[in-house]
Amino acid sequence: MTIAGSILVLGLALLSCVADGALRHHIGLSHRRSLIDGSGAAVTVFDVTKHGAKADDKTDNAEAFIQTWRAACDSGAPAKMVIPGGTFLTSPVVFQGPCKSTEPIVFEVQGNVKATTDLSEYSSEQWILFEIIDGLTLNGGGTFDGQGSAVWKYNDCHENKQCQPLPSSIKLSKVKNAFVHEISSVDSKYFHMHVTGCHSISIHNINLTAPANSPNTDGIHISHSDGVHVTSSKIGTGDDCVSIGQGSTNILISQVFCGPGHGLSVGSLGKYKNEEDVSGIVVTNCTLFNTTNGVRIKSYAASDPSQAFNITFKDITMDSVKNPIIIDQKYGSRNSAPSRVKISNVHYQNIKGTSTSNVAVSFLCSSSVPCQGVELVDIDLAYIGQKANMPLSSSCSNANVKSGGKQNPGCN
């Protein structure tokens, strides 16, 4: 081929790429145009602005969002619902399946979705609900803004055990085969994300933030779910970065940066009657910075019987953490009858860093069902608190502990 011919081919290729990019951008913001995805299947795009949504930060877009979802979910074709750039205000909204397509439905948030702050509009315990869906992708680089700072003052759960929780920002209920990635959630009223009754959920590369003093703003709370993976994400809140509740099995937490917050927790367990067991939990390659707890298992005193077993905390870095390694089976009370949540086969491996408390390992297990099969291997923590010349120590009650490798501190 001649030089002129090569230049012509290259020019045509560049023009084709530019045209294709422009076409895809145009299609992505259109109402119902077909787009070819990576698998070769035609995807129909449903833009919320074509159903009346307005990015003016004052119109309640709940009805427009629901209309767009229903059109996408009921279309029978591979579908993508798009919330484009801009700020879209909305009261509570439910995105319900099952959807008619055999392909996962895509929910793409490019802009900022902002919650209304009038609590009388919230008749249930969530703001955005995805339920009864098999195949969901939630992505787009956008942000869910719960506007929690306007209502946190109404949270009295620290005083009132019968309190009515504020609404969580995003809830996945009875969802299967979902992939959540590249979204942010800020200032949730309660939990940022609640995953319950779900199977095979992948949460990757998300950013959840709220002030350290914001009440009950857990990053991700998981319950009654199997096969949930949370990876490569940054979570900083006023409560647990990740909390794993009853009925959770086969859960992976990996490469999560946590801080501020209350750490990465299994529990609280034993709060309710007839709770389901927790098992198959792996927390690995995570970093905790300036948190009140590191890796924690917690159960209420005077609980009904249940079990938490086969739990591994591995390759964890603690940076200025108050309670790096902790089991607390008197959570919520120090005087009640013992917990009957049986904790067993728990492994702590290669945990290093700094503690702001001189008690870096604390196992307060149940006198009724002592912790069994607890393993500490290669623990290397240093005290950096304000108590000068205070040696690093541990406190281990009602725990059957086996140790290996470096023990700083060991469990005495």
Side-chain angles (χ1 to χ4, degrees), residues 145-166:
D145 183 353
Q147 295 209 88
S149 60
V151 299
W152 288 328
K153 61 186 176 183
Y154 301 117
N155 184 327
D156 64 346
C157 291
H158 60 290
E159 301 171 350
N160 177 15
K161 299 301 181 183
Q162 305 301 319
C163 68
Q164 181 65 35
L166 297 176

Side-chain angles (χ1 to χ4, degrees), residues 338-340 365-370 398:
S339 172
R340 290 190 288 170
C365 294
S366 171
S367 59
S368 175
V369 280
N398 302 313

Side-chain angles (χ1 to χ4, degrees), residues 230-236 241-242 253-264 283-295 313-321 324 350-354:
V230 180
T231 60
S232 301
S233 296
K234 185 176 181 180
I235 306 174
C241 291
V242 180
I253 312 298
S254 177
Q255 294 182 316
V256 169
F257 182 93
C258 169
H262 295 182
L264 303 170
V283 179
T284 183
N285 289 302
C286 294
T287 298
L288 297 102
F289 172 69
N290 199 28
T291 54
T292 56
N293 302 288
V295 289
F313 302 103
K314 182 179 180 181
D315 300 332
I316 309 292
T317 298
M318 307 288 181
D319 186 348
S320 304
V321 174
N350 189 29
I351 297 179
K352 60 185 179 181
T354 55

Side-chain angles (χ1 to χ4, degrees), residues 10 59 68 100 103 106 121-122 150 162 224 229 241 243 301 305 314 381:
L10 178 59
T59 301
T68 311
K100 293 184 178 179
E103 297 294 322
V106 178
E121 297 177 345
Y122 294 80
Q162 305 301 319
H224 302 287
H229 293 182
C241 291
S243 54
K314 182 179 180 181
L381 298 166

